[in-house]
Amino acid sequence: MKLSEGVEAAIHCTALLAQLEEGKTMPASALAEYHGLSQSYLLKHLKALAGAGILESVPGPHGGYRLARLPEQITLLDVVLAIEGPKPAFRCAEIRQRGPGALEPAAYVKPCGINAAMLRAERAYRSVLGETRLCDVLADYRNDADPRSIAFGCAFVERNQRPQG
Amino acid sequence: MKLSEGVEAAIHCTALLAQLEEGKTMPASALAEYHGLSQSYLLKHLKALAGAGILESVPGPHGGYRLARLPEQITLLDVVLAIEGPKPAFRCAEIRQRGPGALEPAAYVKPCGINAAMLRAERAYRSVLGETRLCDVLADYRNDADPRSIAFGCAFVERNQRPQG
DNA sequence: GTTGTCATACTCGGATAGCTCGTGTCCGAGTAAAAAGGG
DNA sequence: CCCTTTTTACTCGGACACGAGCTATCCGAGTATGACAAC
């Protein structure tokens, strides 16, 4: 089991975008600089987030990205699904229907118990992620992080946000 | 997020091994035939299960694999961890320590909130898997599956199990 | 001074190499059983 | 008939190609801005 590396970057970017003022945008170049990552790589994931309706992209000069919804309406699950895709981690290959003891497909209307158990676990995983909103992450950050980091973040946002109706 | 394909095979194999009589073993060739898979490939995962203490391997003629513990003492989590490895799905790369606003490492003693949230979700996932024992899976199987499948499975076990103290 | 046009620079978007990791396969080491030979 | 030795065949174990998916990068399409010229 392994999550894509880009998930971490995506969450950090959405968290940073949540801190800029209403309607303002921030270009991918600033997001990349802030996190010490390559802009070209971030664009790939930002595009996925925009395609999932989490971010909005504004083209042209003074353009950039901004949240498409309020931080209260964005969960970590939304971000993870946008990057990783909606398919469950455990994909039952129905190997019970293979081998010499296989019956006709109609005999397998009931779902595989193993698959059901794995999906139960994944539902629990997604449930926790779905209950964790972006605003919760931000609140924890403001409580726990070093004040200098928070100050630097605020200054960076102030410096790099762009107006855009 | 994607689980290894071998997890499904590993669970099915442990479930089949749980059905043979006390102390008896079953060779990998039979397991592969029953599931319609390649023996060479199964061996790779069976070896991982044996290394994790879930299975025991008996070499030589009339050898094979058997459960190292009772089905009540084996959980799906054990099997998944044996195949996928113990590392969590989300591995925090500490990108918060990168970029121009980075501070000295001592400023990051508190864990990253994003990482904490992701690990919370994964704990929930593992908790559900850890509560699902192999005997539960077997009970569901015996309740839900087609009687012909169960009969074939019993006959196959009876036919392919090998004595071995 | 105002307005329309044009060039410009900046943004995101899609298509393209490189690389790690899982999938799938092969051949070799080790062992218990079975067979053969001698007592 | 029983015991020892040898052979045999079967098992698992580790090492080796192949391929998919993620990582990382580059160049092209589109747009608001700003300058410029005509009115």
Side-chain angles (χ1 to χ4, degrees), chain B residues 57-77:
Chain B
S57 71
V58 178
H62 292 204
Y65 290 95
R66 68 184 162 206
L67 296 187
R69 304 197 292 268
L70 292 175
E72 292 81 16
Q73 297 170 336
I74 296 176
T75 68
L76 290 186
L77 179 62

Side-chain angles (χ1 to χ4, degrees), chain B residues 14-152:
Chain B
T14 53
L16 189 61
L17 288 174
Q19 300 183 48
L20 44 79
E21 299 165 13
E22 178 70 21
K24 303 284 186 70
T25 66
M26 181 178 285
S29 57
L31 289 165
E33 178 199 349
Y34 184 84
H35 296 109
L37 300 172
S38 133
Q39 170 183 353
S40 312
Y41 181 48
L42 262 190
L43 277 170
K44 186 188 182 73
H45 297 304
L46 292 173
K47 169 176 139 52
L49 291 172
I54 298 171
L55 302 185
E56 283 178 354
S57 71
V58 178
H62 292 204
Y65 290 95
R66 68 184 162 206
L67 296 187
R69 304 197 292 268
L70 292 175
E72 292 81 16
Q73 297 170 336
I74 296 176
T75 68
L76 290 186
L77 179 62
D78 298 327
V79 178
V80 170
L81 291 183
I83 302 296
E84 291 287 326
K87 284 182 227 165
F90 183 84
R91 296 174 308 294
C92 185
E94 291 289 337
I95 67 175
R96 61 176 178 164
Q97 297 191 28
R98 302 175 57 169
L103 304 173
E104 72 279 358
Y108 299 100
V109 287
K110 289 204 178 182
C112 174
I114 293 173
N115 191 22
M118 298 300 289
L119 291 183
R120 260 200 306 277
E122 194 157 353
R123 267 198 296 275
Y125 179 77
R126 296 191 174 192
S127 171
V128 172
L129 284 185
E131 290 166 1
T132 307
R133 296 166 301 173
L134 190 56
C135 56
D136 303 328
V137 173
L138 281 171
D140 290 349
Y141 171 71
R142 294 198 175 102
N143 284 335
D144 293 346
D146 189 297
R148 290 171 293 169
S149 288
I150 299 175
F152 180 87

Side-chain angles (χ1 to χ4, degrees), chain A residues 40-159:
Chain A
S40 312
Y41 180 49
L42 261 189
L43 278 170
K44 184 189 183 72
H45 297 304
L46 293 172
K47 169 177 139 51
L49 292 172
I54 297 171
L55 302 185
E56 283 178 352
S57 70
V58 178
H62 292 204
Y65 290 95
R66 69 184 160 205
L67 296 187
R69 304 198 294 268
L70 293 174
E72 292 81 16
Q73 299 169 335
I74 296 175
T75 68
L76 290 187
L77 179 62
D78 298 327
V79 177
V80 170
L81 289 184
I83 302 296
E84 291 287 327
K87 284 184 226 163
F90 182 84
R91 296 175 306 296
C92 183
E94 290 291 335
I95 67 174
R96 61 176 179 165
Q97 299 190 27
R98 302 175 58 170
L103 304 173
E104 72 280 359
Y108 299 100
V109 287
K110 288 203 179 180
C112 175
I114 293 173
N115 190 23
M118 298 300 289
L119 292 183
R120 259 199 308 278
E122 193 157 351
R123 266 198 296 277
Y125 178 77
R126 294 192 176 193
S127 171
V128 172
L129 284 185
E131 289 165 2
T132 307
R133 296 166 299 172
L134 190 56
C135 56
D136 302 328
V137 173
L138 280 171
D140 290 348
Y141 171 71
R142 294 199 176 101
N143 283 336
D144 293 345
D146 189 295
R148 289 171 293 169
S149 288
I150 298 176
F152 180 86
C154 290
F156 187 89
V157 166
E158 194 64 34
R159 182 156 22 97

